[in-house]
């Protein structure tokens, strides 16, 4: 399921309509997987196969309720999905990049201090060795 999208059941609850009504409102065409936007219909998100479930963006459901059904207030609740392996991997990559950035900033700061003191710049690889000594996990 795509992030932030809702299915027929949630649309049915949000619009307070029967499942059959929601299907009648929906802009679908058995011959065309991607029908053009229809402002008088409830437009689902793109699908890769006719057998994929219909999914809707909450803003589209709210637009349809307001503009077509003339419902004054519609509450569409989107629940956060549990984190996926991909999200966890991306989080780990982000954390590693932050660590690298922090170390580079630290090295840049030390290099700047060396120039202020008038000392000669220390070999960058020696500094990396000092920082990495025992702090780097095995790959």
């Amino acid at each position: 399921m795509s992030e932030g999208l809702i299915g027929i059941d949630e649309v049915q609850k949000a619009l307070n309509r029967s499942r059959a009504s929601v299907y009648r409102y929906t802009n679908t065409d058995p011959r065309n997987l991607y029908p053009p936007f229809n402002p008088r219909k409830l437009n689902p998100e793109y699908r890769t196969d006719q057998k994929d479930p219909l999914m809707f963006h909450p803003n589209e459901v709210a637009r349809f309720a307001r503009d077509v059904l003339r419902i004054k207030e519609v509450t569409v609740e989107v629940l956060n999905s549990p984190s996926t392996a991909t999200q966890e991997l991306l989080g780990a990559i982000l954390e590693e990049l932050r660590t690298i950035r922090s170390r580079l900033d630290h090295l840049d700061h030390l290099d700047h201090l060396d120039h202020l003191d008038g000392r000669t710049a220390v070999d960058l690889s020696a500094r990396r060795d000092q920082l990495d000594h025992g702090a780097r996990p095995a790959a």
Side-chain angles (χ1 to χ4, degrees):
M1 185 164 91
S2 296
E3 195 74 26
L5 299 180
I6 59 175
I8 289 288
D9 293 336
E10 291 88 356
V11 173
Q12 180 184 346
K13 289 174 189 167
L15 299 178
N16 196 24
R17 297 295 196 274
S18 71
R19 189 178 195 80
S21 292
V22 173
Y23 279 112
R24 279 195 304 275
Y25 299 149
T26 303
N27 182 18
T28 58
D29 181 349
R31 299 173 311 270
N32 183 357
L33 199 56
Y34 306 118
F37 178 83
N38 183 340
R40 303 299 306 156
K41 293 279 195 172
L42 179 59
N43 297 280
E45 292 297 306
Y46 289 132
R47 299 179 291 166
T48 56
D49 189 293
Q50 287 286 356
K51 294 174 186 166
D52 289 345
L54 291 170
M55 300 301 291
F56 301 88
H57 193 282
N59 291 344
E60 171 60 11
V61 176
R63 180 209 62 85
F64 179 77
R66 182 187 63 242
D67 298 349
V68 178
L69 298 178
R70 305 284 185 222
I71 297 173
K72 298 284 184 210
E73 288 189 33
V74 175
T75 302
V76 179
E77 186 176 350
V78 179
L79 303 175
N80 290 334
S81 63
S83 92
T84 64
T86 301
Q87 290 168 325
E88 290 172 10
L89 178 62
L90 288 172
I93 291 170
L94 179 60
E95 187 57 38
E96 181 69 19
L97 288 172
R98 285 180 177 149
T99 301
I100 292 168
R101 178 56 175 241
S102 173
R103 287 182 178 186
L104 288 173
D105 288 346
H106 180 71
L107 287 174
D108 191 39
H109 177 72
L110 290 176
D111 194 38
H112 178 70
L113 289 178
D114 283 346
H115 290 294
L116 289 177
D117 289 344
R119 290 184 270 150
T120 58
V122 178
D123 181 14
L124 184 60
S125 63
R127 289 203 182 171
R128 284 189 186 131
D129 290 342
Q130 288 173 352
L131 286 174
D132 287 341
H133 182 69
R136 195 170 190 188

